[in-house]
Amino acid sequence: MAKRAVTAAQDPLPPPPRTLYALGLEGSANKLGAGVIAHAPDGSVSILSNVRHTYVTPPGSGFQPGDTARHHRAWIVRVVSEAVRRAGLEDVGGCDAICYTKGPGMGACLASVAIVARTLAAQYGVPLVPVNHCVGHIEMGRTITGASNPVVLYVSGGNTQVIAYSAQRYRIFGETLDIAVGNMLDRFARVVGLSNDPSPGYNVEREARKGRHLVPLPYATKGMDVSLGGVLSCVEAYTKDRKRFKPDTKSEVGGGEVGEWGKMANGETWSGDGRHVVRPGDDEEESDDGDDDEASALRSSIPNGARLPDVITPADLCFSLQEHVFAMLVEITERAMAHIGSREVLIVGGVGANSRLQEMMANMARERGGKVFATDERFCIDNGIMIAHAGLLAFRMGHTVELERSTVTQRFRTDAPKIDWRA
């Protein structure tokens, strides 16, 4: 990766007396990343390398902690070696700090990467810095975009939060009450058999562009919070309505392995007409009576008075899901902007790369005389460089951790770390 210089957001943290280098290791979920960053005395930030490898599962299946951790262990030496090589360093000893994701994330994945970080720190005598994954996203986004004091919408597979900075903490104004937006999109992608390559959410976005009907779904904002579990249940109910739902026989989205619509992780498949579940080894046809009762119960979750089109396709459901959920996220973000008087919105996290979400947020911000800041998939999707950057900011403030205290935690709130490099 070519060296890239960016201008850091303006904060009271004084520039370093010399150029400092940090290696960042990220592996909180299915993305394994390593990157090297440099902070120069003139205040500039240079991205020297940003290497990533993703654990991709077959269509209709998610990634399990144990399997994902094994992927990380198998690839991390190659990923780190390539990041160091691209950065032009002789070895890891050329770094001033080794930064790793402390949390939040999947425990087995976090632990696998933390062990490598400790090993490298001990081998090369380099200080170790734990980093909050969410703070890494925010600080990388601020630096790349130049946003000074934005309201942050953090949307990823495991997190959905509206955040603003105050008194050396990132304060959470609102969040999901059940599942994160990325998790919800991934789970729906499995129901309709979309490929996991390069990611389920990306393929939902592509399929949504072909949608023609906006079908009714719950709109579940709860003050500053949102609830997404009911929305997911309702959109899944449409796939079981044999009178209207017309699934394609094959998915052509996402490349790689092509999966059937409705293929589930356990091998079950929704039948073509939506009547019943076909399980591996089933030879006899099930009765329609019970299926009609089930379909009737599922349809009862659809909003009352809804006028439904005669035919509903998977593309219609992807389109409708995005429109409803993204509108909810825009609403709670706008409330936070009004509360703190900000005209800036920064979107971070993997779902933040969604062009439709960026478009809807930009329309709202424009009406308020504001502006939206967002990055592309290189920095929205989990990566090592964001951990290196946030870790180096903490390192410049004197924050390091001894090896025996370099723990990980699956639940590490965004508002927990002290952000003392900001005013």
Side-chain angles (χ1 to χ4, degrees), residues 396-417:
R396 288 166 59 183
M397 296 301 298
H399 299 301
T400 61
V401 65
E402 298 174 353
L403 289 179
E404 56 270 22
R405 300 185 63 189
S406 55
T407 58
V408 298
T409 176
Q410 292 180 258
R411 298 180 183 274
F412 192 12
R413 296 279 290 177
T414 310
D415 51 6

Side-chain angles (χ1 to χ4, degrees), residues 70-115:
R70 279 189 288 273
H71 164 269
H72 291 359
R73 291 193 294 270
W75 279 91
I76 193 163
V77 172
R78 282 173 280 184
V79 170
V80 170
S81 298
E82 182 64 13
V84 172
R85 185 192 68 80
R86 293 187 189 183
L89 300 178
E90 184 176 344
D91 54 37
V92 177
C95 295
D96 296 280
I98 295 175
C99 314
Y100 74 97
T101 303
K102 177 181 176 67
M106 304 170 76
C109 304
L110 291 169
S112 297
V113 175
I115 289 172

Side-chain angles (χ1 to χ4, degrees), residues 159-393:
N159 298 275
T160 300
Q161 296 176 339
V162 176
I163 303 162
Y165 174 81
S166 176
Q168 297 192 324
R169 287 284 192 281
Y170 281 119
R171 311 291 178 172
I172 300 173
F173 273 64
E175 59 190 320
T176 176
L177 298 175
D178 39 36
I179 62 174
V181 61
N183 187 10
M184 181 209 62
L185 293 173
D186 290 354
R187 287 167 62 175
F188 180 68
R190 294 175 213 162
V191 171
V192 293
L194 289 176
S195 171
N196 290 329
D197 186 14
S199 71
Y202 174 77
N203 292 327
V204 168
E205 178 185 0
R206 286 185 58 188
E207 194 71 8
R209 295 170 189 162
K210 299 185 290 186
R212 294 294 179 268
H213 298 106
L214 183 68
V215 298
L217 293 172
Y219 191 86
T221 56
K222 314 286 185 180
M224 285 298 299
D225 300 322
V226 294
S227 177
L228 303 177
V231 183
L232 176 62
S233 296
C234 185
V235 75
E236 286 180 345
Y238 282 112
T239 68
K240 301 178 181 69
D241 187 342
R242 62 177 179 174
K243 294 181 179 180
R244 291 186 175 87
F245 183 64
K246 303 299 179 185
D248 299 336
T249 56
K250 292 288 183 180
S251 165
E252 297 179 354
V253 176
E257 249 186 286
V258 177
E260 298 176 4
W261 291 106
K263 188 74 173 179
M264 305 300 286
N266 59 2
E268 297 177 352
T269 308
W270 296 118
S271 62
D273 60 5
R275 291 187 184 184
H276 60 273
V277 174
V278 178
R279 297 179 176 85
D282 282 354
D283 295 323
E284 53 185 330
E285 192 169 324
E286 299 181 13
S287 167
D288 285 348
D289 296 338
D291 300 323
D292 288 339
D293 293 341
E294 180 186 9
S296 176
L298 288 165
R299 281 196 293 272
S300 68
S301 66
I302 297 171
N304 293 330
R307 299 182 61 183
L308 303 179
D310 294 333
V311 175
I312 299 174
T313 67
D316 293 333
L317 297 183
C318 291
F319 167 67
S320 303
L321 187 61
Q322 283 197 163
E323 294 299 305
H324 282 81
V325 170
F326 291 170
M328 293 159 57
L329 297 177
V330 169
E331 178 183 332
I332 63 174
T333 303
E334 183 176 17
R335 287 180 184 158
M337 291 176 68
H339 183 84
I340 71 171
S342 174
R343 293 187 176 183
E344 295 181 340
V345 178
L346 173 63
I347 307 176
V348 300
V351 182
N354 188 295
S355 59
R356 179 55 180 156
L357 175 59
Q358 294 182 12
E359 179 185 22
M360 293 174 70
M361 194 68 72
N363 290 338
M364 178 275 290
R366 192 179 305 112
E367 292 175 357
R368 297 183 60 86
K371 184 177 179 181
V372 167
F373 297 87
T375 61
D376 57 31
E377 65 278 357
R378 291 173 299 170
F379 304 107
C380 272
I381 298 173
D382 293 351
N383 59 86
I385 204 68
M386 70 184 196
I387 303 302
H389 179 52
L392 196 50
L393 290 172

Side-chain angles (χ1 to χ4, degrees), residues 23 25 76 80 84 92-93 98 114-126 128 403:
L23 169 68
L25 304 180
I76 193 163
V80 170
V84 172
V92 177
I98 295 175
I115 289 172
V116 174
R118 294 187 202 109
T119 302
L120 292 173
Q123 180 179 354
Y124 291 98
V126 178
L128 195 58
L403 289 179

